[in-house]
Amino acid sequence: MSVTLCSWFLHCAKRSVLSVSRCQQHRLYNRCCCSPHNLVTWAKRTRLSSSSSHSGSDLGPGSVPRAQRHSSTREDLDFQLTEAQMNGMLRANEQAVRIPEFDGRGLSAVLKYESNQLPANTPNEDRRSAATCLQTKGMMFGVFDGHGGYACAQAVSERLLYYVAVALMSQRSLEEVEDAMENLRPVPPILQWYKHHNDYNYRESASLYVEQLRLFWQELLDSEEHGEGMPPRDALDYAFRRLDADISLEAQVPLDSDLMRNTALQVAFAGCTACVAHMDTEGIHVANTGDCRAVLGVQEDDGSWSALPLSRDHNALNEAELDRVRSQHPRAERGTVVTDDRLLGILMPLRAFGDVRFKWSRDLQQSVLESGCDLESLNIYQYTPPNYHTPPYLEATPELTYHRLRPQDRFLILASDGLWDMLGEGEAVRLVAEHLTGVHLQAPLSASERQISLGQMHSLLLQRRARAAPVLDPNSATHLIRHAVGTNEYGEMDRQRLSTMLALPEDLARMYRDDITVTIVYFNSNLIKPSDA
């Protein structure tokens, strides 16, 4: 039975429509921060002569220039990339999808979406997902930021939207899926996935994921209260918590193969944050665990733009979150639960999937890690965080936000913290708005700015000139990433800085920036009705 399910699941994974049947990383260790200005200065000192620079003629989209593949121990570092090389690196993972206004089931609130990723880690630890619900209404988008490796982010990006979709389905729809499964008939598709050609799937674990999902919907069928399905808010909350529980369980039980077992262990001991948005013609539900972020771009009646956050970061800078974590442990641990702005002095996000070393008891961790696996080859190490007295210290329960769509709501930015480390929310909205409208937004001089010196005026003019530069990228997510990486301290696009940041060797890139993932969802404003309020 499992072989049949797995083969069918993998067959569907090759298509856009899927049916379902059954370290040393920045968040775990202290970040080494270096000034981008000093980086560019250093790059100028280490640049090769022009005769050694690489031509972009042999690089197609997505190719990695030789400069990026260097190790920092080499003395011949070249940070001078051609425009073709920089564009190839920036556009290698971009995606643009236009959504039909009417797909046979109903109207769509989404006009189109554009997405992109720029890795700093090798391999990239960020993931993204986008899908249309085929058994219910709405679309879902997710951004997932892994730490301690990419394993957890990979698994959650593949599975979480299915869990949400199943929770949304009515009992009758679930019965049809289960009946088809039981009698080996074609199973009604649940999600229409939108995949990039670089997206990867855990094929060796497909049968396990299908079996666990089937158990989930069978439990929903056994519930007398499921009826017409959960509302989006409840579905998101339940799906987040249930998937995290399944990830934990799968690492503890015997599995069919060593490969599947190894993957389950890597997923559970790595971790990831997640921000998922479900949207229909009525509004947007956002579920956030960790420090990815959702920001709404709003165009006011006077034509100005503003940013409306739809999520809050779960880290030590969030006082409410800090109080929540501390309140779950004895007062004697108040000074040790979060130290140096990190959970137990180690983990930056205060909510996450996986990361079972912050959730399991010491005995359970020891039992699982001593079960005969080659932990060194799996990049899993036996250690317990300091002051580990009353686990669990971490959970994946999301914080939920609902926003009723209005005509002035134009787009939603979902992004990993790699973007927000380098761009403010207002600046990100301004850049997307300029890309959308083609109008460069210049605020009038304030009273304080009218009294600045000539030198300060020069800097202000440089910033305004940079904002008036023509848009280079058809894709708005690429436009955001280019500006996040390439803007200098004067607010202008600096070609030298962009070249240097993109050409950094693998062992240096993570010192200056994080993986960046951006998805921008544009709304079909014609379908959004004014609020009665």
Side-chain angles (χ1 to χ4, degrees):
M1 179 67 172
S2 62
V3 175
T4 303
L5 295 180
C6 183
S7 300
W8 173 71
F9 183 79
L10 294 177
H11 171 73
C12 292
K14 298 177 182 178
R15 304 163 52 199
S16 294
V17 177
L18 287 186
S19 303
V20 176
S21 50
R22 168 57 182 138
C23 85
Q24 289 179 338
Q25 309 301 335
H26 77 284
R27 298 179 190 280
L28 297 178
Y29 301 90
N30 287 326
R31 184 179 299 181
C32 179
C33 297
C34 305
S35 166
H37 175 71
N38 294 337
L39 169 64
V40 174
T41 303
W42 175 62
K44 290 178 179 177
R45 293 200 305 266
T46 58
R47 191 189 312 153
L48 289 174
S49 64
S50 58
S51 60
S52 302
S53 62
H54 305 296
S55 167
S57 59
D58 59 342
L59 292 173
S63 300
V64 179
R66 193 176 308 160
Q68 191 188 39
R69 294 197 298 267
H70 281 164
S71 167
S72 61
T73 58
R74 294 280 298 273
E75 296 182 358
D76 59 343
L77 296 177
D78 184 3
F79 291 90
Q80 187 61 47
L81 303 180
T82 66
E83 290 293 334
Q85 287 175 313
M86 289 192 292
N87 288 337
M89 296 172 69
L90 286 167
R91 297 171 182 172
N93 298 303
E94 68 180 12
Q95 183 184 31
V97 177
R98 182 168 288 274
I99 308 301
E101 183 172 336
F102 182 79
D103 60 6
R105 298 176 305 107
L107 297 171
S108 174
V110 177
L111 181 66
K112 63 177 181 178
Y113 80 89
E114 296 175 342
S115 183
N116 201 357
Q117 295 183 296
L118 182 68
N121 292 294
T122 304
N124 186 5
E125 296 183 352
D126 281 5
R127 293 294 186 270
R128 58 186 171 178
S129 296
T132 295
C133 298
L134 296 180
Q135 298 297 323
T136 56
K137 295 180 179 180
M139 291 189 68
M140 288 188 285
F141 300 89
V143 170
F144 311 92
D145 187 351
H147 49 266
Y150 65 86
C152 190
Q154 177 63 47
V156 174
S157 70
E158 290 182 43
R159 305 175 68 181
L160 183 56
L161 301 195
Y162 272 125
Y163 278 62
V164 178
V166 164
L168 289 168
M169 290 169 60
S170 67
Q171 184 156 354
R172 179 178 178 181
S173 296
L174 291 176
E175 288 172 349
E176 291 177 359
V177 172
E178 174 61 23
D179 184 66
M181 178 75 69
E182 185 67 26
N183 294 286
L184 299 181
R185 296 198 309 269
V187 178
I190 294 174
L191 290 176
Q192 165 82 45
W193 285 92
Y194 303 97
K195 296 283 189 178
H196 187 269
H197 61 82
N198 286 344
D199 288 347
Y200 169 76
N201 285 89
Y202 272 144
R203 295 180 177 274
E204 65 275 8
S205 299
S207 60
L208 173 66
Y209 294 170
V210 168
E211 289 169 4
Q212 290 294 93
L213 186 64
R214 188 181 185 188
L215 285 175
F216 179 41
W217 79 53
Q218 286 175 338
E219 291 179 15
L220 293 176
L221 283 172
D222 290 338
S223 170
E224 297 179 356
E225 300 177 356
H226 191 66
E228 293 303 311
M230 296 182 186
R233 180 183 180 88
D234 295 343
L236 287 162
D237 179 68
Y238 194 28
F240 270 62
R241 291 184 289 111
R242 175 56 184 257
L243 176 56
D244 191 54
D246 283 353
I247 287 172
S248 177
L249 178 64
E250 290 157 11
Q252 302 175 47
V253 299
L255 296 176
D256 293 342
S257 69
D258 289 341
L259 185 58
M260 193 180 295
R261 165 74 167 162
N262 291 344
T263 300
L265 282 172
Q266 287 178 314
V267 169
F269 278 88
C272 85
T273 63
C275 189
V276 173
H278 175 278
M279 55 191 69
D280 54 30
T281 54
E282 297 296 322
I284 306 170
H285 286 87
V286 173
N288 182 54
T289 289
D291 52 11
C292 295
R293 201 177 295 176
V295 176
L296 195 66
V298 181
Q299 188 174 29
E300 308 295 350
D301 293 339
D302 61 1
S304 63
W305 290 82
S306 62
L308 177 62
L310 296 186
S311 66
R312 297 190 301 172
D313 295 349
H314 298 134
N315 56 32
L317 299 179
N318 181 339
E319 287 295 333
E321 183 67 7
L322 200 55
D323 290 342
R324 181 193 67 82
V325 173
R326 287 172 172 165
S327 69
Q328 295 178 347
H329 301 276
R331 292 186 62 85
E333 293 186 60
R334 186 171 181 84
T336 59
V337 172
V338 177
T339 59
D340 296 329
D341 290 339
R342 292 168 181 260
L343 186 66
L344 298 178
I346 297 175
L347 193 67
M348 288 186 69
L350 302 182
R351 303 191 198 192
F353 284 90
D355 283 318
V356 293
R357 68 175 77 253
F358 295 90
K359 299 173 180 177
W360 290 354
S361 69
R362 291 174 184 265
D363 291 342
L364 179 56
Q365 291 186 46
Q366 184 175 359
S367 173
V368 170
L369 291 175
E370 293 179 354
S371 60
C373 299
D374 183 0
L375 299 180
E376 185 174 354
S377 66
L378 298 179
N379 201 30
I380 298 175
Y381 303 96
Q382 294 190 30
Y383 78 87
T384 303
N387 301 302
Y388 197 77
H389 306 300
T390 55
Y393 288 87
L394 190 68
E395 62 184 62
T397 303
E399 186 171 15
L400 298 149
T401 303
Y402 176 71
H403 176 80
R404 184 178 179 84
L405 282 172
R406 308 163 300 176
Q408 62 266 40
D409 300 328
R410 301 298 299 278
F411 54 82
L412 179 71
I413 304 174
L414 286 171
S416 60
D417 69 333
L419 180 79
W420 307 116
D421 287 344
M422 308 181 84
L423 277 183
E425 295 172 350
E427 182 73 358
V429 167
R430 180 189 66 79
L431 286 166
V432 176
E434 290 179 349
H435 191 277
L436 173 65
T437 63
V439 176
H440 300 286
L441 308 174
Q442 303 289 6
L445 286 175
S446 65
S448 60
E449 287 174 330
R450 295 191 188 100
Q451 301 174 12
I452 61 178
S453 66
L454 287 176
Q456 292 170 320
M457 178 62 75
H458 177 67
S459 296
L460 179 63
L461 291 175
L462 285 177
Q463 293 180 33
R464 295 200 163 204
R465 184 181 69 181
R467 291 184 176 184
V471 173
L472 299 176
D473 302 295
N475 187 298
S476 56
T478 308
H479 182 66
L480 264 189
I481 293 174
R482 183 188 295 271
H483 280 263
V485 175
T487 300
N488 64 19
E489 62 266 35
Y490 298 110
E492 62 181 345
M493 177 55 60
D494 186 331
R495 186 194 181 284
Q496 177 63 55
R497 184 182 194 279
L498 180 64
S499 176
T500 301
M501 293 289 280
L502 292 177
L504 279 170
E506 294 174 357
D507 53 347
L508 286 181
R510 189 58 194 85
M511 297 172 63
Y512 292 92
R513 63 174 182 85
D514 195 359
D515 302 321
I516 301 175
T517 296
V518 181
T519 295
I520 303 169
V521 183
Y522 293 93
F523 305 129
N524 191 343
S525 300
N526 295 330
L527 297 180
I528 301 174
K529 299 177 181 179
S531 173
D532 295 335

Coordinates of all heavy atoms in Angstrom, one line a residue, residues 177-235:
V177 N -12.2 11.9 -0.4 CA -10.8 11.7 -0.5 C -10.4 10.3 0.1 O -9.7 9.5 -0.4 CB -10.0 12.8 0.1 CG1 -8.5 12.5 0.2 CG2 -10.2 14.1 -0.6
E178 N -11.0 10.1 1.3 CA -10.7 8.8 2.0 C -11.2 7.6 1.3 O -10.6 6.6 1.2 CB -11.2 8.9 3.4 CG -11.1 7.6 4.2 CD -9.7 7.1 4.4 OE1 -8.8 8.0 4.4 OE2 -9.5 5.9 4.7
D179 N -12.4 7.8 0.7 CA -13.0 6.7 0.0 C -12.2 6.4 -1.3 O -12.0 5.2 -1.6 CB -14.5 7.0 -0.4 CG -15.2 5.9 -1.1 OD1 -15.4 4.9 -0.5 OD2 -15.5 6.0 -2.3
A180 N -11.8 7.4 -2.0 CA -10.9 7.2 -3.2 C -9.6 6.5 -2.8 O -9.1 5.6 -3.5 CB -10.7 8.5 -3.9
M181 N -9.0 6.9 -1.7 CA -7.8 6.3 -1.2 C -8.0 4.9 -0.8 O -7.2 4.0 -1.2 CB -7.3 7.1 0.0 CG -6.1 6.5 0.6 SD -4.6 6.9 -0.3 CE -4.6 8.7 -0.1
E182 N -9.1 4.6 -0.1 CA -9.3 3.2 0.4 C -9.5 2.3 -0.8 O -9.1 1.1 -0.7 CB -10.5 3.2 1.3 CG -10.8 1.9 1.9 CD -9.8 1.5 2.9 OE1 -9.1 2.4 3.5 OE2 -9.6 0.3 3.2
N183 N -10.2 2.8 -1.9 CA -10.5 1.9 -3.0 C -9.6 2.1 -4.2 O -9.9 1.6 -5.3 CB -12.0 2.2 -3.4 CG -13.0 1.8 -2.4 OD1 -13.2 0.6 -2.1 ND2 -13.5 2.8 -1.7
L184 N -8.4 2.7 -3.9 CA -7.4 2.9 -4.9 C -7.9 3.5 -6.2 O -7.5 3.2 -7.3 CB -6.7 1.5 -5.2 CG -6.0 0.9 -4.1 CD1 -5.4 -0.5 -4.5 CD2 -5.0 1.8 -3.5
R185 N -8.8 4.5 -6.0 CA -9.3 5.3 -7.2 C -8.6 6.6 -7.2 O -7.9 7.0 -6.2 CB -10.8 5.5 -7.0 CG -11.7 4.3 -7.1 CD -13.1 4.6 -7.4 NE -13.6 5.7 -6.5 CZ -14.2 5.4 -5.4 NH1 -14.4 4.2 -5.0 NH2 -14.7 6.5 -4.6
P186 N -8.7 7.3 -8.3 CA -8.0 8.7 -8.4 C -8.5 9.6 -7.3 O -9.7 9.7 -7.1 CB -8.4 9.2 -9.8 CG -8.7 7.9 -10.6 CD -9.2 6.9 -9.6
V187 N -7.6 10.2 -6.6 CA -8.0 11.0 -5.5 C -8.2 12.5 -5.9 O -7.4 13.0 -6.7 CB -6.9 11.0 -4.4 CG1 -7.2 11.9 -3.2 CG2 -6.7 9.5 -3.9
P188 N -9.3 13.1 -5.5 CA -9.5 14.5 -5.9 C -8.3 15.4 -5.5 O -7.8 15.3 -4.3 CB -10.8 14.9 -5.1 CG -11.4 13.6 -4.8 CD -10.3 12.6 -4.7
P189 N -7.8 16.2 -6.3 CA -6.6 17.0 -6.0 C -7.0 18.0 -4.9 O -8.1 18.6 -4.9 CB -6.2 17.7 -7.3 CG -7.5 17.7 -8.1 CD -8.2 16.4 -7.7
I190 N -6.1 18.3 -4.0 CA -6.3 19.2 -2.9 C -5.7 20.6 -3.1 O -6.3 21.6 -2.8 CB -5.8 18.6 -1.6 CG1 -6.6 17.3 -1.2 CG2 -5.8 19.6 -0.4 CD1 -6.0 16.6 0.0
L191 N -4.5 20.6 -3.7 CA -3.8 21.9 -3.9 C -3.3 22.0 -5.3 O -2.9 21.0 -5.9 CB -2.6 22.0 -3.0 CG -2.9 22.3 -1.5 CD1 -1.6 22.3 -0.7 CD2 -3.6 23.6 -1.3
Q192 N -3.4 23.2 -5.9 CA -2.7 23.5 -7.2 C -1.4 24.2 -6.8 O -1.4 25.4 -6.3 CB -3.6 24.4 -8.0 CG -2.8 25.1 -9.1 CD -2.7 24.3 -10.4 OE1 -3.6 23.6 -10.8 NE2 -1.5 24.3 -10.9
W193 N -0.3 23.6 -6.9 CA 1.0 24.1 -6.5 C 1.6 25.0 -7.6 O 1.4 24.7 -8.8 CB 2.0 23.0 -6.2 CG 1.8 22.4 -4.8 CD1 1.0 21.2 -4.6 CD2 2.3 22.8 -3.6 NE1 1.1 20.9 -3.3 CE2 1.8 21.9 -2.6 CE3 3.1 23.8 -3.1 CZ2 2.1 21.9 -1.3 CZ3 3.4 23.9 -1.8 CH2 2.9 23.0 -0.9
Y194 N 2.3 26.0 -7.2 CA 3.1 26.8 -8.2 C 4.5 26.7 -7.8 O 5.0 27.2 -6.8 CB 2.6 28.3 -8.1 CG 1.2 28.5 -8.4 CD1 0.3 28.6 -7.3 CD2 0.6 28.5 -9.6 CE1 -1.1 28.7 -7.5 CE2 -0.7 28.6 -9.9 CZ -1.6 28.7 -8.8 OH -2.9 28.9 -9.0
K195 N 5.2 25.9 -8.6 CA 6.6 25.5 -8.3 C 7.6 26.2 -9.2 O 7.3 26.4 -10.4 CB 6.8 24.0 -8.5 CG 6.0 23.1 -7.5 CD 6.6 23.1 -6.2 CE 5.9 22.1 -5.2 NZ 6.5 22.1 -3.9
H196 N 8.7 26.6 -8.7 CA 9.9 27.1 -9.5 C 10.7 25.8 -9.9 O 10.7 24.8 -9.1 CB 10.7 28.0 -8.6 CG 11.8 28.7 -9.4 ND1 13.1 28.2 -9.5 CD2 11.8 29.9 -10.1 CE1 13.8 29.0 -10.2 NE2 13.1 30.0 -10.6
H197 N 11.4 25.9 -11.0 CA 12.2 24.8 -11.5 C 13.3 24.4 -10.5 O 13.8 23.3 -10.5 CB 12.7 25.0 -12.9 CG 13.6 26.1 -13.0 ND1 15.0 26.1 -12.7 CD2 13.4 27.4 -13.4 CE1 15.6 27.2 -12.9 NE2 14.7 28.1 -13.3
N198 N 13.7 25.3 -9.6 CA 14.8 25.0 -8.7 C 14.2 24.4 -7.4 O 15.0 24.0 -6.5 CB 15.6 26.3 -8.3 CG 16.5 26.7 -9.4 OD1 16.8 25.9 -10.3 ND2 17.0 27.9 -9.4
D199 N 12.9 24.4 -7.2 CA 12.3 23.8 -6.0 C 12.6 22.3 -5.9 O 12.6 21.6 -6.9 CB 10.8 24.0 -6.0 CG 10.5 25.5 -5.7 OD1 11.4 26.3 -5.3 OD2 9.3 25.9 -5.9
Y200 N 12.8 21.9 -4.7 CA 13.2 20.5 -4.4 C 12.2 19.8 -3.5 O 11.5 20.5 -2.8 CB 14.6 20.5 -3.7 CG 15.0 19.2 -3.1 CD1 15.6 18.2 -3.9 CD2 15.0 19.0 -1.7 CE1 16.0 17.0 -3.4 CE2 15.4 17.7 -1.2 CZ 15.9 16.8 -2.0 OH 16.3 15.6 -1.5
N201 N 12.1 18.5 -3.6 CA 11.1 17.7 -2.8 C 11.8 16.6 -2.2 O 12.7 16.0 -2.8 CB 9.9 17.2 -3.6 CG 8.9 18.3 -4.0 OD1 9.1 19.0 -5.0 ND2 7.9 18.5 -3.1
Y202 N 11.4 16.2 -0.9 CA 12.0 15.1 -0.2 C 11.3 13.8 -0.8 O 10.3 13.3 -0.2 CB 11.7 15.2 1.3 CG 12.8 15.9 2.0 CD1 12.4 16.7 3.1 CD2 14.1 15.8 1.7 CE1 13.4 17.4 3.9 CE2 15.1 16.4 2.5 CZ 14.7 17.2 3.5 OH 15.7 17.9 4.3
R203 N 11.7 13.3 -1.9 CA 11.1 12.2 -2.6 C 11.2 10.9 -1.7 O 10.2 10.1 -1.7 CB 11.7 11.9 -3.9 CG 11.4 13.1 -4.9 CD 12.0 12.9 -6.3 NE 11.7 14.0 -7.2 CZ 10.6 14.0 -7.9 NH1 9.7 13.1 -7.8 NH2 10.3 15.1 -8.7
E204 N 12.3 10.7 -1.0 CA 12.5 9.5 -0.2 C 11.5 9.5 1.0 O 11.2 8.4 1.5 CB 13.9 9.4 0.3 CG 14.3 10.5 1.3 CD 14.8 11.8 0.7 OE1 14.7 11.9 -0.6 OE2 15.3 12.7 1.4
S205 N 10.9 10.6 1.3 CA 10.0 10.7 2.5 C 8.5 10.8 2.0 O 7.6 11.0 2.9 CB 10.4 11.8 3.4 OG 11.7 11.6 3.9
A206 N 8.2 10.8 0.7 CA 6.9 11.0 0.3 C 5.9 10.1 0.9 O 4.8 10.5 1.3 CB 6.9 10.9 -1.3
S207 N 6.2 8.8 1.0 CA 5.2 7.9 1.5 C 4.9 8.2 3.0 O 3.7 8.1 3.4 CB 5.7 6.4 1.4 OG 6.9 6.2 2.1
L208 N 5.9 8.6 3.7 CA 5.7 8.9 5.2 C 4.8 10.1 5.3 O 3.9 10.2 6.1 CB 7.1 9.2 5.8 CG 7.0 9.7 7.2 CD1 6.4 8.7 8.2 CD2 8.4 10.1 7.7
Y209 N 5.1 11.1 4.5 CA 4.3 12.4 4.6 C 2.9 12.1 4.2 O 1.9 12.7 4.8 CB 4.9 13.4 3.6 CG 6.3 13.9 4.0 CD1 7.1 14.7 3.2 CD2 6.8 13.5 5.3 CE1 8.3 15.1 3.6 CE2 8.1 14.0 5.7 CZ 8.8 14.8 4.8 OH 10.1 15.2 5.2
V210 N 2.6 11.3 3.2 CA 1.3 10.9 2.8 C 0.5 10.2 3.9 O -0.6 10.5 4.2 CB 1.3 10.1 1.5 CG1 -0.1 9.5 1.2 CG2 1.7 11.0 0.3
E211 N 1.2 9.2 4.5 CA 0.6 8.4 5.6 C 0.2 9.3 6.8 O -0.9 9.2 7.3 CB 1.6 7.3 6.0 CG 1.7 6.2 5.0 CD 2.9 5.3 5.4 OE1 3.5 5.5 6.5 OE2 3.2 4.4 4.6
Q212 N 1.1 10.2 7.1 CA 0.8 11.1 8.3 C -0.3 12.1 7.9 O -1.2 12.4 8.8 CB 2.1 11.9 8.6 CG 3.2 11.1 9.3 CD 2.8 10.5 10.6 OE1 2.3 9.4 10.7 NE2 3.0 11.3 11.6
L213 N -0.4 12.6 6.7 CA -1.5 13.5 6.3 C -2.8 12.7 6.3 O -3.8 13.2 6.8 CB -1.2 14.0 4.9 CG -2.2 15.1 4.5 CD1 -2.2 16.3 5.4 CD2 -1.9 15.5 3.0
R214 N -2.8 11.4 5.9 CA -4.0 10.6 5.9 C -4.5 10.4 7.3 O -5.7 10.5 7.6 CB -3.7 9.3 5.2 CG -5.0 8.5 5.0 CD -4.8 7.2 4.3 NE -6.1 6.5 4.1 CZ -6.2 5.3 3.6 NH1 -5.1 4.6 3.4 NH2 -7.3 4.7 3.4
L215 N -3.6 10.1 8.2 CA -3.9 10.0 9.7 C -4.6 11.3 10.2 O -5.6 11.2 11.0 CB -2.7 9.7 10.5 CG -2.2 8.2 10.4 CD1 -0.9 8.1 11.2 CD2 -3.2 7.2 10.9
F216 N -4.1 12.4 9.7 CA -4.7 13.7 10.1 C -6.1 13.8 9.7 O -7.0 14.2 10.5 CB -3.8 14.8 9.6 CG -4.3 16.2 9.9 CD1 -4.7 16.5 11.2 CD2 -4.2 17.2 9.0 CE1 -5.2 17.8 11.5 CE2 -4.6 18.5 9.3 CZ -5.1 18.8 10.5
W217 N -6.4 13.5 8.4 CA -7.8 13.7 8.0 C -8.7 12.6 8.5 O -9.9 12.9 8.7 CB -7.9 13.9 6.4 CG -7.8 12.7 5.6 CD1 -8.5 11.6 5.6 CD2 -6.9 12.5 4.4 NE1 -8.2 10.7 4.6 CE2 -7.2 11.3 3.8 CE3 -6.0 13.3 3.8 CZ2 -6.6 10.8 2.7 CZ3 -5.3 12.9 2.7 CH2 -5.6 11.6 2.1
Q218 N -8.1 11.4 8.8 CA -9.0 10.4 9.4 C -9.4 10.8 10.8 O -10.5 10.6 11.2 CB -8.2 9.1 9.4 CG -8.1 8.4 8.1 CD -7.2 7.2 8.1 OE1 -6.4 7.0 9.1 NE2 -7.4 6.3 7.2
E219 N -8.5 11.5 11.5 CA -8.9 12.0 12.8 C -9.9 13.1 12.7 O -10.9 13.2 13.6 CB -7.7 12.5 13.6 CG -6.7 11.4 14.0 CD -5.5 12.0 14.7 OE1 -5.5 13.1 15.1 OE2 -4.5 11.2 14.8
L220 N -9.8 13.9 11.7 CA -10.9 14.9 11.5 C -12.2 14.3 11.2 O -13.3 14.8 11.6 CB -10.4 15.9 10.4 CG -9.2 16.8 10.7 CD1 -8.9 17.6 9.4 CD2 -9.5 17.7 11.9
L221 N -12.2 13.2 10.4 CA -13.4 12.5 10.1 C -14.1 11.9 11.3 O -15.3 11.8 11.4 CB -13.1 11.4 9.0 CG -12.9 11.9 7.6 CD1 -12.5 10.8 6.7 CD2 -14.3 12.5 7.0
D222 N -13.2 11.4 12.2 CA -13.8 10.8 13.4 C -14.4 11.9 14.4 O -15.1 11.5 15.3 CB -12.7 10.1 14.2 CG -12.2 8.8 13.4 OD1 -13.0 8.3 12.6 OD2 -11.1 8.3 13.6
S223 N -14.0 13.1 14.1 CA -14.6 14.2 15.0 C -16.0 14.5 14.6 O -16.3 14.8 13.4 CB -13.7 15.4 14.9 OG -14.3 16.5 15.6
E224 N -16.9 14.6 15.6 CA -18.2 14.9 15.3 C -18.5 16.4 15.0 O -19.5 16.8 14.6 CB -19.1 14.5 16.4 CG -19.1 12.9 16.7 CD -20.0 12.5 17.8 OE1 -20.5 13.4 18.5 OE2 -20.1 11.3 18.1
E225 N -17.4 17.2 15.3 CA -17.6 18.7 15.3 C -17.0 19.2 14.0 O -17.1 20.5 13.8 CB -16.9 19.3 16.5 CG -17.5 18.8 17.8 CD -16.7 19.4 19.0 OE1 -15.7 20.2 18.7 OE2 -17.1 19.2 20.1
H226 N -16.4 18.4 13.1 CA -15.7 19.0 11.9 C -16.7 19.6 11.0 O -16.5 20.7 10.5 CB -14.9 17.9 11.3 CG -13.9 18.5 10.3 ND1 -12.9 19.3 10.6 CD2 -13.9 18.4 8.9 CE1 -12.2 19.7 9.5 NE2 -12.8 19.2 8.5
G227 N -17.7 18.9 10.6 CA -18.8 19.5 9.8 C -18.4 20.1 8.5 O -17.8 19.4 7.6
E228 N -18.5 21.4 8.3 CA -18.2 22.1 7.1 C -16.7 22.5 7.0 O -16.3 23.3 6.2 CB -19.0 23.3 6.9 CG -20.5 23.0 6.7 CD -20.7 22.1 5.5 OE1 -20.1 22.5 4.4 OE2 -21.4 21.1 5.6
G229 N -15.9 22.0 8.0 CA -14.5 22.3 8.0 C -14.2 23.5 8.9 O -15.1 24.2 9.3
M230 N -12.9 23.7 9.2 CA -12.5 24.7 10.2 C -12.5 26.1 9.4 O -12.2 26.1 8.2 CB -11.2 24.4 10.7 CG -11.1 23.2 11.6 SD -9.4 23.0 12.2 CE -9.5 21.4 13.0
P231 N -12.8 27.2 10.1 CA -12.5 28.5 9.5 C -11.0 28.7 9.4 O -10.2 28.0 10.1 CB -13.1 29.4 10.5 CG -13.2 28.7 11.8 CD -13.4 27.3 11.5
P232 N -10.6 29.5 8.5 CA -9.1 29.7 8.2 C -8.3 29.9 9.5 O -7.2 29.3 9.6 CB -9.1 30.9 7.3 CG -10.4 30.9 6.6 CD -11.4 30.4 7.6
R233 N -8.7 30.7 10.4 CA -8.0 31.0 11.6 C -7.7 29.7 12.4 O -6.5 29.4 12.8 CB -8.7 32.0 12.5 CG -8.0 32.3 13.8 CD -8.8 33.3 14.7 NE -8.1 33.6 15.9 CZ -7.3 34.6 16.0 NH1 -7.0 35.4 15.0 NH2 -6.7 34.8 17.2
D234 N -8.7 28.9 12.6 CA -8.5 27.6 13.3 C -7.7 26.6 12.6 O -6.9 25.9 13.1 CB -9.9 27.0 13.7 CG -10.7 27.9 14.6 OD1 -10.1 28.8 15.3 OD2 -11.9 27.7 14.7
A235 N -7.9 26.6 11.2 CA -7.2 25.7 10.4 C -5.7 25.9 10.4 O -4.9 25.0 10.5 CB -7.7 25.7 9.0

